[in-house]
Amino acid sequence: MKIFASCFALVLALVAGGASAQPFDGWYRLQTQFRGDGECLEGDQAASTTHNGAAFMNTCLNATSQLWMLVAQGNGLYRLKTQFGGDGECLDGNQAGSSVKAGAAFMNTCQNVSSQLWMPVAQGNGFYRLKTQFGGDGACLEGNQAASPDHNGAAFMRPCMNQTGQSWKLVKQAVVAQCTNQSPRRLDNWNTENALPTIQRGANDNTVIYTPNGGSPTTLSRCGQHYHCEIENLQPVCPGQSATGIGGPPGSCPSQPPVGSWVEVHTVFSATVGTTGCDPETLDCCTQGPFVVLGYHAKVTADQNPRAVPVVWNPGAAEWTGSNTGPDDAPGQCKPLQVKWRFSLGCDSTLSLGQLGTFHHQDRARGLQSADRLSTDLNLLTH
């Protein structure tokens, strides 16, 4: 990566090479002629274990990490950002010989570097080559096969050649109405620290006291408890945790979670609770708001002794306004229930296979929500 220089001559050379003057507005999927309409470029988290956190071609999914915006920087140059990463992350073209991400392209904090300035160069028939100011006219982004040994299957910069893996189609996506206060989210980058908590412990684990900002305390009753076989909210400080904008697992949960894996437990409270014909491992018994979710992460142990799954109240916790979770029913779904969350922070909780076996089913995970869909009241409680 190189800091911007006075490279007006390089810009002119790229323009002469056919760079597009077309304005790109809205969200796009990026597909290659090589991989066809079924695969899209995904901008993963840099810390992800998938392809070592590099950008890669994946099956086109209902994932905000596959929705790209080209943000004009002038002189035909653009930054490439995903809806998932928000305004603070940009695609970095890197260089093939770099030790960073094995030389693959990756999402990085937006910086004043020429490897994050992209020029789409029209090739005809709706296809483009994607070049960086750093790589110049001779290097093009290549959409690799996920199973390829080259750069661990990730997308990477390569000498421009007449091959379909370097021909990109930018597929415009329909504008989706603004959707806010969604969950799940990363549990870091706090908006406030130790602001007045809105959720307090009730007389026992079957009640909580909820006090909305500027409102009066209300006692809510437990209406359900369930767990997700893959985590939804992410604590970056917990070793071995990972979550993406896709969620998962694809298809269904395993018959039981692997020993040593992370699960996420949600205990739900509401103003009124259904008593007949409802499933307490869903939201069916939570009949009237306000709604509160107490959550925590736990590592799975091999003990087969069946016993109750506890409600955890760690002194360190995160509170925010969010939504119900679980896999989306339709692409880009906006979850309807407004929920106040209290998530106990920490990496030391465990649950045994015997405890998890007291549930009748597991739930899959919803993907992490993009920055524009999150509330701005994430509050860290340290005591």
Side-chain angles (χ1 to χ4, degrees), residues 196-199 209-218 220 290 292 338 340:
L196 193 66
T198 62
I199 302 165
I209 299 171
Y210 172 57
T211 308
N213 293 327
S216 301
T218 301
L220 306 179
V292 162
Q338 179 168 303
K340 193 69 179 185

Side-chain angles (χ1 to χ4, degrees), residues 22-88:
Q22 170 185 340
F24 297 97
D25 60 319
W27 298 102
Y28 293 83
R29 293 190 185 276
L30 303 185
Q31 302 172 338
T32 65
Q33 190 176 26
F34 172 46
R35 304 306 296 167
D37 291 339
E39 291 192 8
C40 295
L41 183 68
E42 183 162 322
D44 208 352
Q45 299 179 79
S48 172
T49 56
T50 304
H51 294 279
N52 193 33
F56 65 102
M57 300 302 293
N58 196 10
T59 303
C60 294
L61 301 164
N62 174 35
T64 53
S65 51
Q66 293 183 1
L67 292 178
W68 297 85
M69 179 174 285
L70 287 78
V71 182
Q73 303 297 299
N75 293 322
L77 297 168
Y78 295 82
R79 292 190 185 273
L80 290 176
K81 304 182 180 185
T82 65
Q83 193 177 80
F84 175 55
D87 198 47

Side-chain angles (χ1 to χ4, degrees), residues 21-313:
Q22 170 185 340
F24 297 97
D25 60 319
W27 298 102
Y28 293 83
R29 293 190 185 276
L30 303 185
Q31 302 172 338
T32 65
Q33 190 176 26
F34 172 46
R35 304 306 296 167
D37 291 339
E39 291 192 8
C40 295
L41 183 68
E42 183 162 322
D44 208 352
Q45 299 179 79
S48 172
T49 56
T50 304
H51 294 279
N52 193 33
F56 65 102
M57 300 302 293
N58 196 10
T59 303
C60 294
L61 301 164
N62 174 35
T64 53
S65 51
Q66 293 183 1
L67 292 178
W68 297 85
M69 179 174 285
L70 287 78
V71 182
Q73 303 297 299
N75 293 322
L77 297 168
Y78 295 82
R79 292 190 185 273
L80 290 176
K81 304 182 180 185
T82 65
Q83 193 177 80
F84 175 55
D87 198 47
E89 292 191 1
C90 294
L91 183 66
D92 196 308
N94 208 350
Q95 53 183 326
S98 171
S99 60
V100 178
K101 304 297 178 187
F106 66 105
M107 299 304 294
N108 197 8
T109 303
C110 294
Q111 302 169 61
N112 185 32
V113 292
S114 55
S115 54
Q116 292 182 3
L117 285 181
W118 294 85
M119 182 168 287
V121 181
Q123 301 297 298
N125 297 318
F127 287 95
Y128 296 83
R129 292 190 187 277
L130 296 177
K131 305 180 181 185
T132 65
Q133 190 183 60
F134 174 51
D137 198 41
C140 292
L141 182 67
E142 184 163 318
N144 207 350
Q145 298 183 70
S148 172
D150 288 341
H151 298 275
N152 299 316
F156 64 102
M157 301 302 293
R158 189 177 189 181
C160 297
M161 295 181 282
N162 183 29
Q163 59 181 39
T164 54
Q166 295 182 0
S167 291
W168 293 86
K169 180 169 60 173
L170 282 62
V171 183
K172 184 75 177 285
Q173 301 299 294
V175 176
V176 179
Q178 183 70 11
C179 181
T180 59
N181 294 348
Q182 294 293 288
S183 297
R185 68 189 300 158
R186 288 173 59 96
L187 301 180
D188 60 3
N189 297 323
W190 317 104
N191 299 119
T192 56
E193 293 190 20
N194 292 316
L196 193 66
T198 62
I199 302 165
Q200 295 177 310
R201 202 168 193 164
N204 52 50
D205 282 345
N206 291 319
T207 60
V208 297
I209 299 171
Y210 172 57
T211 308
N213 293 327
S216 301
T218 301
T219 298
L220 306 179
S221 299
R222 177 168 164 169
C223 57
Q225 187 182 59
H226 60 272
Y227 83 95
H228 295 266
C229 63
E230 291 189 359
I231 65 168
E232 294 193 309
N233 298 286
L234 174 66
Q235 294 186 78
V237 298
C238 290
Q241 283 198 2
S242 63
T244 70
I246 300 172
S252 61
C253 292
S255 58
Q256 60 182 25
V259 172
S261 66
W262 288 100
V263 295
E264 182 167 324
V265 177
H266 297 163
T267 306
V268 191
F269 299 79
S270 63
T272 60
V273 180
T275 56
T276 57
C278 62
D279 181 359
E281 294 180 23
T282 68
L283 300 180
D284 289 352
C285 301
C286 308
T287 56
Q288 182 177 330
F291 303 100
V292 162
V293 173
L294 303 184
Y296 65 95
H297 292 138
K299 264 200 168 180
V300 180
T301 65
D303 179 13
Q304 298 286 342
N305 182 30
R307 56 190 187 277
V309 172
V311 177
V312 172
W313 289 84

